[in-house]
Amino acid sequence: MSSWPGPGSAEPVEYIFPATLAVLRDIRACVTRLARAAGIAAPEVERIVLVANEMAANAVEHSGADAVTLRWETTDDGVWITMADDGVFAIRVRSPSERGLGLKLVLGLADEVTVRAGRQGERGTTVRLRMRVSSRPRVSPAETPGPSRILIVDGDRFAGRSLSLFLEAEGYPNTLAGSAQAGRAALTDPFLLAIVDLTTSNGSTLALCEEITRVGIPVLTLSSLPPPATLRPDRFLRKPVHPLEVLTAVRQMIASLVTGAAAKAPHA
């Protein structure tokens, strides 16, 4: 029986790729970003990327489909990956010299695998698997020193609201400001950190970032334009950016705050 995702699962994400061998590199890069965003350690990331690559290669090489769909979901009991296409799973006898190790690798490395093979007149192949992970470090806002809210400054109503709701669902309460002026006014309340879109209010948020930094609040900046030279590169993300990448940066910055607070704490 398959243990399908239940409580504790994050919102699944889907990506569609053209079914070409050249796109396998993009699929590997995509899975790498998703795994790192989920807080998975490097050795397990490599294992997950290897399995995803073999799934995608099988779909590209043997299904005859025009596109493949990658679905990713993180849960309390591991990572679920689904690779689907609208093709027919080709079955043929291989010679000993042929590669043919993809499915063996998938079965050997994954903890749970289901395959729904497409057939003539019933197209559509889906391979779904679960991989347990032992390292998904999460830093809870409750474990951080001082205030726990995040200030988000974004003039794009849709993007700002989407990021606000996503971080709220991940356990990070926040305040959303739609302009540099509103963000400045919100600073009367204490914040753990700030996320600022640099294109908000025609770029006047750069001065706001300096003000926020002066009061001791770390700032994560976002922009569709190249970052100003004065900004720290480890605190800048180029838009468009996936919410999971923002979440990863937030967790890393909060972890740094926790480490810094622990180092300053008096020892008994």
Side-chain angles (χ1 to χ4, degrees), residues 158-184:
F158 177 79
R161 184 62 176 161
S162 296
L163 180 59
S164 174
L165 290 173
F166 177 80
L167 290 177
E168 192 83 36
E170 289 293 324
Y172 295 90
N174 57 80
T175 296
L176 176 61
S179 66
Q181 182 179 2
R184 189 171 287 109

Side-chain angles (χ1 to χ4, degrees), residues 25-133:
R25 181 179 61 181
D26 297 330
I27 293 176
R28 291 194 297 270
C30 178
V31 172
T32 299
R33 288 196 303 270
L34 291 168
R36 288 175 177 170
I40 299 172
E44 293 181 321
V45 171
E46 294 176 5
R47 179 170 62 98
I48 291 170
V49 171
L50 176 58
V51 168
N53 180 76
E54 293 302 326
M55 294 169 67
N58 276 338
V60 168
E61 294 175 1
H62 306 305
S63 69
D66 295 324
V68 294
T69 299
L70 165 69
R71 180 182 174 93
W72 170 280
E73 186 171 0
T74 54
T75 72
D76 289 340
D77 63 347
V79 172
W80 288 83
I81 303 174
T82 304
M83 198 73 64
D85 59 69
D86 61 354
V88 174
F89 191 78
I91 300 176
R92 62 187 178 88
V93 178
R94 294 177 177 271
S95 69
S97 63
E98 287 187 276
R99 180 171 162 265
L101 295 177
L103 189 55
K104 290 182 179 179
L105 278 174
V106 171
L107 293 173
L109 293 176
D111 297 288
E112 195 171 329
V113 182
T114 58
V115 180
R116 189 252 181 223
R119 302 173 179 85
Q120 294 296 338
E122 192 181 349
R123 301 177 67 85
T125 297
T126 301
V127 180
R128 182 172 174 79
L129 59 83
R130 177 174 66 90
M131 301 184 72
R132 284 195 297 266
V133 291

Side-chain angles (χ1 to χ4, degrees), residues 154 163 195-199 220-225 235-239 241 246:
D154 195 330
L163 180 59
I195 302 173
V196 180
D197 184 320
L198 295 178
T199 61
L220 172 64
T221 54
L222 314 175
S223 178
S224 56
L225 303 174
R235 293 187 178 177
F236 174 83
L237 293 175
R238 186 74 174 263
K239 297 180 83 173
V241 60
V246 180

Side-chain angles (χ1 to χ4, degrees), residues 10-31:
E11 187 71 19
V13 292
E14 285 190 357
Y15 298 89
I16 299 176
F17 297 91
T20 64
L21 289 174
V23 86
L24 292 179
R25 181 179 61 181
D26 297 330
I27 293 176
R28 291 194 297 270
C30 178
V31 172

